[in-house]
Amino acid sequence: MVSALVIPLLLLAPAIWNGYPLLQYDTGGYLARWYEGYLVPSRSTVFGIYLHYGESSYFWINLGVQALATLWILQLVLRVVDMARPARLAAISLVLILTTALPWLASMLLTDIFAGLSVLSLFVLVLHGDKISTSEKWLLFVFTAFAGATHSATLAVLLGLCCAGWIVRPWLRGRIAVSGLLQGSLTIVVGAAMLLAANFALSGQLAWTPGGYGVAFGRMMQDGIVASYLRAHCPEQKLKLCPYRDRLPATADDFLWGNSMFNTLGRFEGLDDEMGFIVLHSLAEYPAWQAEAAIVATAQQLTEVATGEGTNGWIPHTYGIIERYLPAQTGRMRAAHQQHWDINFKMINRIHVPVALASMLAMVAILAAGIARRRLDDLTLLAATVSLALLGNAFVCGVISGPHDRYGARMVWIATLVALIAAFRNFADRPGTSQDSFPL
């Protein structure tokens, strides 16, 4: 009972200290979806509606949902791996709060908290549905579908995990039930339908959230592939970017979000078709270069795990959206510590980054040990699920968007969870150790 009260408060400690929910550069794009009535790249209308219903509480309802969902899913994971003791839940939660990005994710108005939680919820739903009640299955199903609908990268990771499950099931019939895989796979379908329905309700368009080609184009431009394509094919193809082929920005962020020719040529609306054309033709023309760039980007993304990217005092678009559509919150938002640059992520990451990297190494060791012993117990399956999720996340985000710390930090804390479960299990298995000897 104490844990149920204290852990959510600790998860929201950054926001409580801040005096307002933490914001990120992308937050404004999600907030605006309810008001603007049109689709913009990479901004889920499902998450925008979710934020809208928390506006009257200054978004503390949203943060409460995020903290309680985190606590609920953590205890479900511990229950299905036979570690469901309040003391262990409290101890593991406390370590995660002190050493990972988890409380910063839970305290922020962004989709990132749902990335890691959805992997854990899918793990429980697919592999351990027999250990939870029917009502819990329904709640997990809805939560996983919703989480997938909040971000295309999250949906892609969940889809990859389900595909992997179907591939290995012939060798793991005793551990992966068809019913569980069907339920997990249906969450992808429902999440996609949820997003299409929200897009139609808010914009009148039965369409996927736009921007996929543009984001991939930015990564290819950053790798030099776009410049090579333009030099090889201009001017016979009459592309809008031809006059700028020798002046492309050095990074995707500078091109898409800076003051570049992207703005001059009409941003996504003016360039989306051309960017899609270049992306598809570059894939066909430079397959070896694309493959090498994908491997490098995936590897780099796995190591970029620092907390706090984009969470600072310079987020003018988000400020503008709040001031325009929620003027009553402007004073409180402006008075928050974040807006005064009072958050020192450099100090925080002296702990978070080493813990994240060490956790991934420990998780791989746990998985390797389980495979070597041919012991596919619950911990080994959890390590395998999280390993695939981290690899899939690194591939999807690194290859399409380019490596960013934010994409790694939002997922890597689940590797720390796996390492903690292994450590607690090993300690509890020692002769003479009490099963309830962990302090609250």
Side-chain angles (χ1 to χ4, degrees):
M1 185 64 181
V2 174
S3 297
L5 295 174
V6 173
I7 292 174
L9 290 176
L10 292 176
L11 285 167
L12 299 183
I16 294 169
W17 167 81
N18 191 48
Y20 191 79
L22 296 175
L23 305 173
Q24 207 261 2
Y25 194 89
D26 293 351
T27 303
Y30 292 108
L31 285 172
R33 300 288 46 80
W34 178 266
Y35 298 97
E36 294 180 346
Y38 58 86
L39 306 180
V40 298
S42 303
R43 301 293 178 263
S44 164
T45 53
V46 171
F47 190 72
I49 293 171
Y50 161 78
L51 290 181
H52 174 71
Y53 283 108
E55 288 175 4
S56 61
S57 68
Y58 288 71
F59 302 105
W60 290 104
I61 286 176
N62 301 98
L63 298 194
V65 168
Q66 290 167 194
L68 291 173
T70 302
L71 174 63
W72 174 55
I73 290 175
L74 285 177
Q75 68 85 20
L76 278 180
V77 171
L78 293 182
R79 191 205 306 175
V80 299
V81 298
D82 297 323
M83 292 185 62
R85 289 178 173 78
R88 291 182 184 176
L89 174 62
I92 287 175
S93 298
L94 183 60
V95 175
L96 290 173
I97 288 166
L98 293 175
T99 65
T100 75
L102 184 57
W104 299 93
L105 300 174
S107 295
M108 190 179 302
L109 299 181
L110 201 62
T111 65
D112 290 7
I113 183 62
F114 298 111
L117 290 179
S118 64
V119 172
L120 299 178
S121 66
L122 188 70
F123 167 78
V124 175
L125 185 66
V126 171
L127 294 172
H128 296 286
D130 58 328
K131 296 182 180 179
I132 60 177
S133 67
T134 301
S135 59
E136 287 173 323
K137 281 186 187 179
W138 277 107
L139 286 172
L140 274 181
F141 185 94
V142 172
F143 177 86
T144 308
F146 166 78
T150 64
H151 201 287
S152 295
T154 301
L155 192 68
V157 170
L158 298 178
L159 175 61
L161 289 174
C162 288
C163 290
W166 286 109
I167 290 170
V168 302
R169 190 187 173 275
W171 295 275
L172 298 176
R173 292 179 182 274
R175 301 309 309 266
I176 306 178
V178 170
S179 59
L181 271 174
L182 283 173
Q183 290 169 25
S185 301
L186 281 173
T187 65
I188 312 300
V189 176
V190 173
M194 198 181 294
L195 182 60
L196 290 171
N199 286 350
F200 181 76
L202 292 187
S203 72
Q205 294 180 263
L206 189 62
W208 197 257
T209 304
Y213 281 131
V215 176
F217 176 92
R219 196 272 303 166
M220 291 183 188
M221 186 208 68
Q222 185 170 294
D223 290 332
I225 295 171
V226 170
S228 291
Y229 182 86
L230 292 175
R231 282 194 292 268
H233 297 282
C234 288
E236 66 268 16
Q237 290 187 349
K238 309 296 183 184
L239 298 171
K240 298 176 185 177
L241 283 166
C242 283
Y244 304 95
R245 60 186 179 274
D246 296 320
R247 291 183 284 141
L248 296 173
T251 69
D253 287 341
D254 290 338
F255 178 75
L256 294 172
W257 316 117
N259 187 22
S260 73
M261 66 286 298
F262 186 57
N263 295 336
T264 306
L265 297 173
R267 296 189 62 77
F268 289 98
E269 184 175 349
L271 271 181
D272 199 51
D273 290 341
E274 181 166 309
M275 290 190 296
F277 177 86
I278 293 173
V279 166
L280 294 175
H281 284 76
S282 294
L283 285 169
E285 193 157 329
Y286 307 112
W289 191 352
Q290 295 279 11
E292 180 184 356
I295 293 170
V296 171
T298 300
Q300 186 179 344
Q301 182 60 75
L302 284 170
T303 64
E304 295 199 8
V305 292
T307 300
E309 183 185 28
T311 305
N312 52 47
W314 193 82
I315 44 175
H317 180 258
T318 295
Y319 295 157
I321 293 297
I322 291 175
E323 290 167 354
R324 184 184 312 165
Y325 298 118
L326 302 169
Q329 299 194 26
T330 299
R332 192 173 300 184
M333 180 268 291
R334 288 287 186 183
H337 284 286
Q338 179 186 348
Q339 280 57 264
H340 293 275
W341 296 83
D342 292 337
I343 305 175
N344 186 351
F345 282 111
K346 183 177 291 186
M347 295 293 293
I348 292 168
N349 281 316
R350 289 181 181 177
I351 297 173
H352 287 192
V353 171
V355 168
L357 297 176
S359 297
M360 286 193 287
L361 290 174
M363 183 184 62
V364 172
I366 293 165
L367 178 59
I371 294 174
R373 296 194 305 267
R374 296 186 179 181
R375 179 184 171 187
L376 292 182
D377 58 4
D378 295 334
L379 180 59
T380 304
L381 289 173
L382 177 59
T385 301
V386 172
S387 297
L388 286 173
L390 290 176
L391 186 60
N393 178 70
F395 177 79
V396 170
C397 296
V399 172
I400 296 178
S401 300
H404 287 76
D405 281 304
R406 177 192 153 199
Y407 302 145
R410 70 186 181 191
M411 188 76 79
V412 74
W413 68 268
I414 59 177
T416 308
L417 173 63
V418 174
L420 287 170
I421 290 173
F424 272 70
R425 177 174 286 183
N426 181 65
F427 180 77
D429 286 343
R430 292 180 183 176
T433 301
S434 169
Q435 296 291 309
D436 296 300
S437 61
F438 303 101
L440 280 168

